[in-house]
Amino acid sequence: MSTSSQDTGPLQKARKDAGLSQSKLANLLDISQAQVSKYESNPGRIPLNLSKKWEKILGVEMDILLETPDEPSGLNPGDPFSPLQQRLNLLEQYANSNSISTDELPDDIPTPDKLLSKIEELRRKPNLVLSGKFDSGKTHLTNYLLGGRYLPTKYQPATRVITIVRHMDDKPEWQQEDVWLLEEDFWPTDRRGDVTLDFSLLDEKGRCEDHRLRAGTLDSLKKYGTHDEEGDTLPAHAAVVYIDSPFLAACNIVDLPGYSDQGDRVSDDVKKAQSALQVADIMLYTSQAVGHVSGEDFARLSQLFRTLPAPEKEYEEFPTLGNLFIVATHASSNVPDDELVDLQERAASRLYEQMKDTALKDRSELSGRDIRLTDLENRFVSFWEERPDRCEDLEEMLSDLLTEDMPAYQIREVERALQSLKQSTKGRLSRRIEEYESTINDIEKRREELQYLEKKESDRKRKLQERKEQFQDRVENQRKRSLEVFESTANDFLTERRIKTLIEEHYGSKDEAQEYAPALLADRLQQRMEEIVSEYAEPLKEEVDNYLDLYDEVLRELPSQDTESVQIDFDAKGAFIGGLAGLSTVGALGAWATSLGNLGGYVLVAKGVSVLSALGIGVGTSSVMGAVAAIGGPITLGLGLGAVIALGAWRLFGESWETRLARKLVKHFNDENVVDQYRKGINEFWDETWEAFLAGARAAEERYRKRKAHLRELTSEESPQKERIEELLGKLEALRDFFAGLPWAPVAEEEQPVSA
């Protein structure tokens, strides 16, 4: 054992300063000496009521006692996104310098203003999210990264709001205070009433002012944003905090409320923590070194593996699982070096063995990488501020991620999006120019075509309605079949025989099985549910295409269409996607969206990157599994943790412990109505599919109606519009040149990211 491992911890030092032995303190606390020794080695495990008694005896508050006196130095990754920002600034200047008037252009035409909106979305920094149990030191680690005691920390659960930390330079000009606390209604909600976090709203003055509860200094955050018995209560959901920290030049930080020991499924803190996972680009999952990565953590990590973005899919140099860190916090000197290494290796091994065929398999599909045990071991790091050697791996890996991997990945993704935008926009504008030129050359032919479309309008609407009903029937059929298959699978799985076999295959001791088996069962159920729903979602891609093909079909049937004719330009898919932009979930239509390839052109005409968020995918990255992963996530967490809590004492004589545990698990999962909860999730998935289809169909029909009205106006006999069409043609040609000349050179061929 190294000398440094014998360092005196803060509780030991305070006890000795008070002139107390462990035995004397144990008597005063009414606990055993062994328990005193255990708690001094791991202060985070002291129960709240005992900590108050401890404070009274030592005459020092636990929060102060466990806080380090010196200011942390913080991480300074520099300004890694500066090259990207400079290129985007050039693009912004180019867009602002255009003199093209877009008045009277149809709303489906790409314009410089729409490009400017997209540039703002492309500027966003990655979000670094900290998640874990309430006593795992998330806020302390946040302060360490920031380089100051900015956010309030306490021994007991402190953070009760989602704390969004941004650089001072990112603060809107209209916002005077450094801290604003916002009510829950600030965020939009989905059909289930769950909040959808959209950080772009933090720059909207009116919305922020309408939903602001308090504004002030960091003291306001301590007063209203923490669990403080003496503090004022305030129904705040989130706090946005602006700090002048070098670390924030490379990312935003999102510090979540901790997961509590009990009431996990109904806890307001847990709901907030759950909602914030949707914005994570980088995840630091904290778990105390002693008892590192418990069964509760397994359930939550299972969800993270399935839902955290996978940059390695599109960028070959990105490390496998490179945006996930599993941090052993409270890694004090009381934990010897060899023991710390051992507990991390054992945690990684347990996690790998339990999830290699479930969540890690799904992650492999999402990322396009085979995930080995060594890949997982590489994501385990330690943290104890008083020991620099126990922070250096985290600092080095996080610095590499923020200064090299994330900027390189992001600039390539921006490159891909803009190159796709240039190509798709050029083709789109060229087709519209040809259409208008054809209209000028033979207005009479275009009038005949419009008359024919009017004649066929009732027939077109009838066919659309028939295919809409066919889609609805298919949704209901897929719903029924997926529910039947899942229910049969789940009921067959949740039997004593199957679970006993699973326990025997994975665990060598009763304690290990009791700790981790509940999460394993929930993970297996989640994986099977996702496989089933994905399988039944796949055929709907063709159904959506068949519906949208009707718009092309009616245009192809125009009597004047021949090899020399120019067809009326109408982008049904782009219009349909625009209708999905306002939705937070789209069900099986996420699978359809993945079949469209790069969405650059569609995204610009619709509502920007928000479309991709609605589809549950990222630019250039998509997966059917990823599109449905969110169904079971919260359910899995509730089931896994609920089972862990319930399995307290159980004894049945005359049978093996494997049999008794299997019986206990079957009973508990049945008592918790596991199958019914998953059935509810599957039903919601298909409900969202149908609602998303209706939203897309409405948008497509409205766009089609506007296109016809626009052409009817341009070909009106009462007021010939040749001059106006020529004016529009001039604008379209100028726009085509504008987008073709975007000052964004493609990266060299050898630098292009390659999917692994």
Side-chain angles (χ1 to χ4, degrees), residues 26 75 80 130 175 188 242 265 457 512 533 609 703 717 737:
L75 261 65
L130 290 99
Q175 182 171 331
Y242 293 93
R265 277 181 291 167
E457 183 66 3
E512 185 183 18
V533 174
V609 177
R703 180 73 59 79
E717 293 184 3
D737 294 340

Side-chain angles (χ1 to χ4, degrees), residues 50 52 59 73 105 121 139 147 199 201 214 279 344 351 391 411 448 472 535 556 582 675 683 716 755:
L50 185 61
K52 296 297 183 183
S73 59
L105 282 174
E121 293 170 335
T139 305
F199 289 178
L201 299 177
R214 287 289 189 281
V279 300
Q344 289 180 293
L351 194 61
C391 304
I411 199 167
E448 292 175 0
Q472 186 177 25
E535 177 185 349
R556 287 194 301 266
V675 176
N683 271 314
S716 171
S755 297

Side-chain angles (χ1 to χ4, degrees), residues 231-289:
D232 297 331
T233 58
L234 195 70
H237 181 270
V240 56
V241 181
Y242 293 93
I243 294 173
D244 188 14
S245 166
F247 186 73
L248 297 173
C251 64
N252 304 311
I253 288 184
V254 185
D255 184 24
L256 303 182
Y259 295 107
S260 57
D261 281 329
Q262 296 183 350
D264 206 82
R265 277 181 291 167
V266 297
S267 163
D268 287 340
D269 284 358
V270 170
K271 289 180 180 178
K272 293 171 185 174
Q274 214 38 56
S275 68
L277 298 182
Q278 64 191 260
V279 300
D281 297 296
I282 302 167
M283 173 62 66
L284 268 60
Y285 189 88
T286 56
S287 174
Q288 290 195 26

Side-chain angles (χ1 to χ4, degrees), residues 46 202 326 349 392 502 523 665:
I46 304 176
L202 297 172
I326 301 173
S349 180
E392 60 186 15
L502 205 63
D523 201 38
L665 285 168

